[in-house]
Amino acid sequence: MPDCLDIMLCRHYIKHATLINSCYPDRENEQGPRSSELSYLTFYASSRPVKLTKVGHYLEKRVDKDIRKGRRQNNHVSLSILKALIQTCHRDLNLFSTSIVNILSMILDTRDLELIDLTCETFIVFCDHHDGTTLGVDTEFTAEFEALIQKFTNFCSYMNTDEALVFQMQYIGFRSLQAHVTSRALYASDFQLQLNTIVPPHIARLSTSKTPIHRLITAEPSVDIRKSVKDTTIDSHTIDVLAVQTMAILYAKPNGATIRPSLKPLLTFFDTKDKWWPPQFAVSLMTLVLNSLQPQHRYLLVSEILHPLDFASSSMAITKQASLASILDCLLNAKVSLVGLSVLEMFHSIFSHLIQWVQRHGLHTTAPDSFSSSSSQSSQSYYAYITYKSLSHCICGLVSHTYYQNQQSDMISYLVSKLKASTGSDTMHGLALDVYQPIVLECLENVIDHSHHPTAALSTWSPSLGLLADPSCSSPTTRLWWVRLLRAFMGHSLQQRALRPWVYQPMDHEDIGFMHALHQTMAGASIRSLLTPADGMTLYRLLCLVTCRYGDRGTVETLPLVFELEAYAQQQMLCAVWAFPYHQRAMASLLVQYCKRIGEYHDMQGLVEYMVSLEKRRRSSHQHSTLVWTDEGNKEETLLVWGLQEQQNTTPVEIWMDRAKVVRLMLAEGSLQEWQAAEEVDLEHQLLVEWSDKLFLNHERAFRISVPQKVEDLKPHLTTPWTSTQGAERDSQEETQPVKVENLKEALAAQTSGSESDERDTDSMQSLPSVTSPQRPIKGTRKDMEFLLTELKSSSPSAQSSVSLVKPPYKL
């Protein structure tokens, strides 16, 4: 017999209660609801939506009674009925959503694995159709829904001695949270509160995973949350993959305004759980977030990571700063484009952080020999090294992506201006110049090495020429480093024999201007009372660089400077400006070596033999320097001071190059003849010109404005009127001939034909192409054209027609 409660409920609810109760089987061995009665119930509910609230209330009371009575089979049927109602009446889901949440919450408290699994499946179906329109409006329903999410969250950290049970319960919890993440109700209410509930268990799970996150995200096959516990083989790897999938889905949904709130739970977890160091987990998790975000919002993640570094105080742990720098390095070097990123602003911010970090912790360009977490000094040095290298490598990632056309040029200009080549101070931003300038050069090297297609003009390097002009503005190693970067930017070397045979290419104005500025800088750099080996090597490499970059013209333009430097070396010793002969020997030796190299480069065998013989003569008389002149590969620390052998040798140079012979050998063979033919210049005069005269010629050539001799030919002129006698007579006759009744028809006919001719002339004039620039006319062209037009005009039919419009030209 039915219970008294059932009788009372049926009397009260009548129709819907009867339909619900009829869905439950009478026999214990029957599984699931009765199909025909369930179909009738769903049809009744969908056709009468106003009854859904009563259906939900009755079903809720029925589940509560079955749980108290321990009717486990009835709870299975109730969940099946609820699932069918959700699928059928999903458009009116808000009418009984409160009952759904209450029923699911009650069954979760039973701790019955099978019922909890069926509850999870029902919740997944509910999330597919729940849009969250009542969340935040109905406070009671909102509180109950958030409590249900919290129960599923607790399952994610379920612990028990039975490992299989632990995996099953955690699988149910992560399945349910992923279903909630995929629903539209995630952003309907308090988004931050829901993230604070959902995100921590996923991060905690991934932090203990033995498999890296980048491998979990690509794991095959992916986990299907619609598969129940009994249909899936569950292990630790399955839970990890499910957690990674949920995080990827979660961070694929935020828009621009919700990026910062969605990242707050991650940063809070790292702070509270002290997960900043080692940085591998934080870096891999942020990389997952970056790849999951929509492309137009990815740059916001970089800004959010940089924000804590902008406001980092002395109280912030050095491990956190090192981890943030590592994360920023990984994000900027990722193989994704950060559309919308302010490149120069980011570039300036990274460089500023780099300088500030060195100010606080010193310059650490190499890793410490040993790292011990127990040793404070060792750990501090290691963290400082990691942070410095990460910030420096951020520039590589920023340069590797081209976001606008002049990006590389702007970056080089920015760093060149930061070199402070013309400053008179020994410090910059609180750092000594020998510490500050290597930082700038390292950043500049990163820009050059990681640029795919260098597009910056050579003029961007002009402000840095002051490093050579004033030795107090830089150290010798800094100048050598600068030359190496300039050569890397130009992309040429004398060792690249593939450049030969040289093909003539015209040079633009910027190339010529930079070459002349570089020549003048080299001339000024050599006028020093103290010349170090590094300075000599810098000068030699710059001379070779001019030939590499500018080819034959660079050699022709540089040779007068070479002999000017040789004459200066002779004069310095005569005037006792150079106190030591090894200065003179170094200058003379590098000039001979340069001439030897250009002889090899331009295939001038006679010039090479002459320089080799000159070196032998100097060596035999101890007038040759022991320095080895090379384009690259020297250990720069060996070039800081003169060797003992050089200091003990007091022999000055007395054997010098014969300029006339050098020029004669250069004219005899080699590729300079091709350049002479292309430029149409006097090659011998170019090689023999004095350096002071060449400076004047270069200055005059740069600022002279050429004016054509016949300016009148380039000015536009009005066309001359026709001078035909017949035309003048015809015009006079037309003007003097009176119009009478007898010739009225003929006058009208003549006027009509004349107007048609004028229209044709006007159309033909409009169809002519517009002239953009005046060109010099060829002699005789204008007279021939006037004669041709006159002949055409004279041969044209007369404007007066003899045909009458009244009398036909035939006889009737």
Side-chain angles (χ1 to χ4, degrees):
M1 293 180 60
D3 294 338
C4 296
L5 180 60
D6 290 342
I7 297 174
M8 295 175 61
L9 290 175
C10 290
R11 289 177 181 176
H12 181 70
Y13 291 99
I14 308 175
K15 182 70 174 180
H16 60 270
T18 304
L19 294 177
I20 292 175
N21 290 331
S22 62
C23 293
Y24 290 86
D26 296 334
R27 300 177 184 178
E28 294 182 359
N29 57 354
E30 293 185 21
Q31 299 293 330
R34 296 176 179 177
S35 58
S36 58
E37 282 75 6
L38 181 60
S39 299
Y40 188 35
L41 174 62
T42 55
F43 172 75
Y44 172 79
S46 61
S47 59
R48 302 184 65 181
V50 293
K51 297 294 184 178
L52 281 173
T53 304
K54 294 182 179 180
V55 171
H57 284 312
Y58 180 79
L59 192 60
E60 181 181 348
K61 293 181 181 295
R62 178 66 188 256
V63 171
D64 182 46
K65 186 189 71 170
D66 290 338
I67 291 175
R68 286 188 285 106
K69 295 291 183 180
R71 298 169 181 170
R72 183 171 176 272
Q73 185 66 27
N74 285 350
N75 289 330
H76 280 261
V77 177
S78 298
L79 289 174
S80 300
I81 295 173
L82 189 62
K83 183 178 179 181
L85 289 173
I86 294 173
Q87 292 174 337
T88 305
C89 308
H90 58 85
R91 294 183 179 179
D92 303 306
L93 192 63
N94 291 331
L95 296 177
F96 66 112
S97 58
T98 302
S99 300
I100 296 173
V101 171
N102 291 335
I103 292 172
L104 298 179
S105 181
M106 286 188 294
I107 297 179
L108 288 180
D109 294 335
T110 61
R111 297 298 176 179
D112 188 318
L113 179 60
E114 188 175 353
L115 286 176
I116 292 175
D117 187 36
L118 290 175
T119 303
C120 179
E121 293 181 8
T122 307
F123 180 74
I124 292 173
V125 176
F126 173 72
C127 290
D128 290 340
H129 305 288
H130 186 218
D131 56 2
T133 54
T134 55
L135 288 175
V137 178
D138 188 347
T139 56
E140 181 180 357
F141 172 71
T142 303
E144 294 172 351
F145 182 78
E146 292 174 353
L148 177 64
I149 298 299
Q150 186 61 51
K151 289 183 179 181
F152 283 119
T153 303
N154 295 335
F155 290 156
C156 296
S157 57
Y158 181 83
M159 299 300 296
N160 195 283
T161 55
D162 187 355
E163 186 179 22
L165 179 61
V166 170
F167 288 154
Q168 291 172 346
M169 295 297 290
Q170 291 181 355
Y171 177 68
I172 291 173
F174 283 109
R175 285 171 63 203
S176 304
L177 293 183
Q178 186 176 127
H180 177 50
V181 168
T182 56
S183 69
R184 292 174 292 172
L186 181 63
Y187 295 94
S189 182
D190 191 346
F191 175 67
Q192 187 66 61
L193 178 62
Q194 297 190 56
L195 286 179
N196 292 337
T197 305
I198 297 172
V199 173
H202 290 83
I203 309 177
R205 180 68 196 185
L206 295 177
S207 63
T208 59
S209 176
K210 298 179 181 179
T211 307
I213 293 179
H214 68 275
R215 292 184 180 178
L216 293 173
I217 197 63
T218 57
E220 294 292 342
S222 60
V223 179
D224 186 3
I225 62 174
R226 299 189 181 276
K227 290 184 178 181
S228 63
V229 171
K230 57 185 178 182
D231 298 333
T232 306
T233 302
I234 305 173
D235 55 9
S236 179
H237 180 72
T238 305
I239 307 299
D240 296 340
V241 172
L242 186 58
V244 166
Q245 290 179 358
T246 305
M247 290 292 289
I249 297 173
L250 176 63
Y251 283 97
K253 299 171 73 69
N255 53 25
T258 56
I259 295 295
R260 177 175 292 182
S262 64
L263 294 176
K264 187 175 180 181
L266 299 178
L267 303 179
T268 303
F269 179 85
F270 293 148
D271 288 332
T272 55
K273 303 297 183 179
D274 196 18
K275 291 293 183 179
W276 286 109
W277 196 265
Q280 285 78 13
F281 174 69
V283 169
S284 59
L285 187 60
M286 287 302 176
T287 305
L288 171 64
V289 174
L290 177 69
N291 294 327
S292 302
L293 288 173
Q294 300 177 23
Q296 67 272 22
H297 298 147
R298 286 171 178 166
Y299 76 97
L300 296 174
L301 176 61
V302 179
S303 302
E304 291 302 321
I305 297 300
L306 189 62
H307 181 74
L309 287 175
D310 291 336
F311 297 93
S313 59
S314 57
S315 61
M316 179 182 289
I318 190 173
T319 55
K320 181 177 180 179
Q321 298 182 56
S323 182
L324 288 172
S326 301
I327 294 173
L328 188 63
D329 177 20
C330 185
L331 297 182
L332 291 177
N333 284 276
K335 296 181 180 180
V336 294
S337 181
L338 303 175
V339 180
L341 183 68
S342 179
V343 180
L344 289 183
E345 182 179 352
M346 180 62 63
F347 189 71
H348 170 72
S349 181
I350 293 173
F351 180 79
S352 300
H353 283 302
L354 199 61
I355 298 300
Q356 293 172 6
W357 183 262
V358 176
Q359 290 174 350
R360 294 194 298 264
H361 302 279
L363 182 62
H364 298 271
T365 57
T366 57
D369 297 335
S370 61
F371 171 71
S372 175
S373 57
S374 59
S375 175
S376 176
Q377 183 177 2
S378 175
S379 59
Q380 291 289 328
S381 300
Y382 181 74
Y383 298 143
Y385 165 75
I386 291 295
T387 306
Y388 178 83
K389 284 301 180 182
S390 298
L391 291 174
S392 178
H393 196 247
C394 285
I395 297 177
C396 303
L398 197 61
V399 175
S400 61
H401 298 87
T402 303
Y403 296 97
Y404 64 96
Q405 185 176 4
N406 296 327
Q407 174 179 317
Q408 185 194 11
S409 178
D410 293 341
M411 289 182 174
I412 293 178
S413 299
Y414 175 84
L415 292 175
V416 167
S417 65
K418 292 296 181 179
L419 278 173
K420 305 297 182 181
S422 58
T423 182
S425 175
D426 295 336
T427 60
M428 186 59 59
H429 298 291
L431 300 174
L433 285 180
D434 57 350
V435 175
Y436 173 79
Q437 288 179 341
I439 299 175
V440 182
L441 291 176
E442 183 177 355
C443 297
L444 188 59
E445 186 173 12
N446 292 335
V447 172
I448 296 173
D449 292 345
H450 292 81
S451 297
H452 299 297
H453 303 287
T455 56
L458 281 173
S459 57
T460 57
W461 291 78
S462 298
S464 62
L465 294 178
L467 293 175
L468 305 177
D470 188 359
S472 62
C473 295
S474 60
S475 63
T477 55
T478 300
R479 293 190 286 272
L480 279 174
W481 195 351
W482 176 84
V483 173
R484 187 175 73 248
L485 295 181
L486 181 60
R487 182 181 57 207
F489 173 78
M490 291 183 175
H492 296 288
S493 173
L494 282 178
Q495 304 296 335
Q496 295 175 333
R497 302 304 298 171
L499 295 176
R500 305 300 301 161
W502 182 79
V503 180
Y504 171 75
Q505 293 180 353
M507 297 168 55
D508 56 15
H509 179 71
E510 288 189 354
D511 281 348
I512 297 175
F514 183 78
M515 181 177 63
H516 293 162
L518 187 59
H519 280 163
Q520 296 181 28
T521 304
M522 286 189 290
S526 61
I527 307 175
R528 295 175 183 168
S529 58
L530 296 176
L531 184 69
T532 64
D535 293 330
M537 189 64 69
T538 299
L539 185 60
Y540 171 74
R541 291 177 179 177
L542 284 175
L543 290 173
C544 295
L545 183 60
V546 173
T547 297
C548 298
R549 172 71 179 185
Y550 302 106
D552 292 349
R553 176 163 186 170
T555 301
V556 174
E557 296 279 352
T558 306
L559 195 63
L561 174 63
V562 169
F563 287 102
E564 178 70 16
L565 295 178
E566 186 182 54
Y568 178 74
Q570 292 177 291
Q571 180 183 4
Q572 290 294 80
M573 289 303 298
L574 293 177
C575 300
V577 176
W578 282 346
F580 306 102
Y582 50 76
H583 291 155
Q584 186 190 43
R585 291 197 303 270
M587 180 65 71
S589 176
L590 75 88
L591 296 178
V592 170
Q593 180 65 21
Y594 169 71
C595 292
K596 178 182 176 181
R597 295 304 303 274
I598 64 174
E600 296 172 352
Y601 186 75
H602 295 290
D603 299 328
M604 302 174 182
Q605 189 62 30
L607 182 61
V608 174
E609 294 175 355
Y610 174 65
M611 294 302 160
V612 171
S613 63
L614 193 62
E615 287 182 349
K616 291 181 179 179
R617 292 170 56 194
R618 287 182 177 178
R619 282 195 178 96
S620 62
S621 57
H622 305 286
Q623 300 179 24
H624 191 73
S625 177
T626 58
L627 292 177
V628 179
W629 308 102
T630 58
D631 291 347
E632 54 186 346
N634 290 87
K635 294 183 178 180
E636 296 178 353
E637 58 270 12
T638 63
L639 300 175
L640 298 180
V641 295
W642 295 97
L644 182 61
Q645 182 180 356
E646 283 289 337
Q647 296 181 15
Q648 293 176 351
N649 185 5
T650 59
T651 306
V653 179
E654 297 179 354
I655 303 174
W656 301 95
M657 292 185 294
D658 186 355
R659 182 173 186 177
K661 185 175 182 179
V662 170
V663 172
R664 185 170 63 255
L665 293 173
M666 294 179 69
L667 294 175
E669 56 182 346
S671 60
L672 293 183
Q673 304 298 330
E674 302 175 12
W675 178 80
Q676 181 183 13
E679 285 283 328
E680 298 181 357
V681 296
D682 186 357
L683 182 59
E684 183 178 3
H685 174 72
Q686 292 287 333
L687 295 175
L688 291 175
V689 69
E690 295 296 331
W691 170 248
S692 57
D693 298 337
K694 194 171 186 59
L695 284 178
F696 175 76
L697 292 176
N698 292 335
H699 179 79
E700 188 181 39
R701 186 184 301 116
F703 294 98
R704 182 185 299 170
I705 300 177
S706 60
V707 180
Q709 296 180 356
K710 297 182 179 181
V711 183
E712 296 296 331
D713 294 338
L714 299 179
K715 292 183 179 180
H717 298 277
L718 295 175
T719 56
T720 56
W722 302 112
T723 57
S724 176
T725 307
Q726 297 179 358
E729 293 178 354
R730 183 174 64 251
D731 295 340
S732 61
Q733 290 178 3
E734 291 178 355
E735 293 178 359
T736 58
Q737 183 179 4
V739 179
K740 298 180 181 180
V741 179
E742 293 81 3
N743 60 357
L744 177 60
K745 302 294 184 181
E746 298 178 359
L748 290 175
Q751 184 177 0
T752 303
S753 62
S755 61
E756 292 177 354
S757 177
D758 294 340
E759 291 177 359
R760 286 194 299 269
D761 295 340
T762 304
D763 294 340
S764 63
M765 290 294 293
Q766 293 178 354
S767 63
L768 290 175
S770 60
V771 180
T772 57
S773 60
Q775 299 180 356
R776 184 184 301 275
I778 303 175
K779 294 182 179 180
T781 303
R782 179 172 296 172
K783 294 182 179 180
D784 295 340
M785 184 61 68
E786 292 177 357
F787 177 75
L788 178 60
L789 294 176
T790 304
E791 291 296 327
L792 290 175
K793 184 66 178 180
S794 61
S795 61
S796 62
S798 177
Q800 297 181 357
S801 177
S802 60
V803 180
S804 176
L805 296 178
V806 180
K807 296 180 181 181
Y810 54 86
K811 295 182 179 180
L812 296 175

